[in-house]
Amino acid sequence: MHPRDLPATASIEGRITNGKTAHEGQFPYQVGLSFSSSSGSWWCGGSLIDHQWVLTAAHCTSGASDVKMYFGATKRTSAKVIHSVQAFNFIQHAGYNSAVLRNDISLIKTIHVSYSADVRKVELPSLASSYSTYDNQKAIASGWGKTSDSAAGVASTLQYDTFTVVSVATCQSTYGSLVATSKVICIATPNKTSTCNGDSGGPLVLISDNKLIGVTSFVSSAGCESGAPAGFTRVTSYLDWINANSGVSY
């Protein structure tokens, strides 16, 4: 659970409720992130986008002094590679606004991580696909977030599910246009299946081409099982920002 005060309309929560259990090596780009600060610690997800770079949410890095990163894990704390870095390795979007979750994206620089069957980067979408809304397309979200609204903590084993992208207009009907901007991508959450607390910062990957299209950002303050759309930072809106700050090309 993220320790900050949550806004009334959209709460900063991420996890997969009522999802499926991942098997070893299924999501080699998934990174587990344990953040610490003077006021406590919290869990988020991230995506490995290059040997030295992890993409996550700004609300995950915000206020943290350091992070312990778990690469190649299915069981949450049993990873192939574990590495910790201090906050000076965080590049948080300068325009991040916690009130409306604007520009909810951050980069973390890590040691050079070697690729293997269990640890591998996810490809970024091409600039040409910036024009795609991805409406009605299928994508997979994954994370160690809570598996139900009543769960006491995050999951011990990586969870995932397949979701359908909904239009920005559909998302705006729940959250309004200040939160659900064109730089946000939303998914439908039928049958109480959704991202939730602890999934924040993790990946949304398009099934058709295995490209990273979203960074887990928010769910309804009514709860992860409420049926309201779940929101992600739209990666195609930030390709230039990612490239300028990390050198990772698309």
Side-chain angles (χ1 to χ4, degrees):
M1 170 72 87
H2 204 260
R4 310 280 186 291
D5 292 331
L6 303 175
T9 48
S11 71
I12 297 171
E13 299 185 348
R15 86 206 153 213
I16 311 296
T17 54
N18 303 297
K20 302 176 178 72
T21 300
H23 58 73
E24 286 282 313
Q26 187 173 1
F27 301 105
Y29 50 80
Q30 174 83 45
V31 185
L33 301 173
S34 179
F35 289 93
S36 298
S37 75
S38 56
S39 57
S41 59
W42 56 95
W43 180 269
C44 279
S47 301
L48 187 65
I49 60 166
D50 201 60
H51 287 286
Q52 283 191 281
W53 292 98
V54 172
L55 192 67
T56 188
H59 79 256
C60 289
T61 57
S62 181
S65 54
D66 56 85
V67 65
K68 190 174 187 179
M69 295 179 280
Y70 297 83
F71 300 94
T74 304
K75 289 253 182 268
R76 189 162 61 87
T77 52
S78 175
K80 299 292 185 279
V81 179
I82 298 176
H83 183 59
S84 297
V85 299
Q86 301 296 310
F88 63 79
N89 290 289
F90 303 166
I91 301 174
Q92 186 171 298
H93 197 291
Y96 170 58
N97 178 326
S98 61
V100 290
L101 304 182
R102 184 96 23 93
N103 303 310
D104 190 12
I105 192 166
S106 284
L107 285 156
I108 302 174
K109 190 173 188 182
T110 179
I111 55 162
H112 185 282
V113 178
S114 297
Y115 296 156
S116 66
D118 297 306
V119 181
R120 191 172 297 118
K121 73 173 182 178
V122 63
E123 297 288 341
L124 296 175
S126 66
L127 197 57
S129 61
S130 297
Y131 303 104
S132 174
T133 60
Y134 302 113
D135 289 4
N136 298 311
Q137 294 197 48
K138 302 285 189 191
I140 292 184
S142 50
W144 288 273
K146 285 181 9 177
T147 54
S148 71
D149 281 327
S150 58
V154 293
S156 58
T157 307
L158 187 61
Q159 304 288 304
Y160 74 97
D161 218 314
T162 302
F163 298 93
T164 302
V165 176
V166 298
S167 68
V168 171
T170 298
C171 206
Q172 285 175 345
S173 67
T174 297
Y175 300 108
S177 57
L178 281 178
V179 171
T181 68
S182 60
K183 293 184 174 184
V184 165
I185 193 166
C186 290
I187 58 170
T189 63
N191 307 315
K192 298 188 174 183
T193 304
S194 178
T195 49
C196 204
N197 313 63
D199 288 326
S200 292
L204 182 71
V205 172
L206 198 66
I207 288 178
S208 61
D209 64 3
N210 294 315
K211 299 286 177 71
L212 181 70
I213 61 168
V215 174
T216 305
S217 180
F218 62 86
V219 296
S220 168
S221 55
C224 309
E225 297 178 85
S226 68
F232 299 76
T233 304
R234 188 180 290 268
V235 173
T236 51
S237 299
Y238 295 92
L239 291 170
D240 288 339
W241 180 86
I242 291 168
N243 178 251
N245 286 283
S246 69
V248 177
S249 53
Y250 40 82

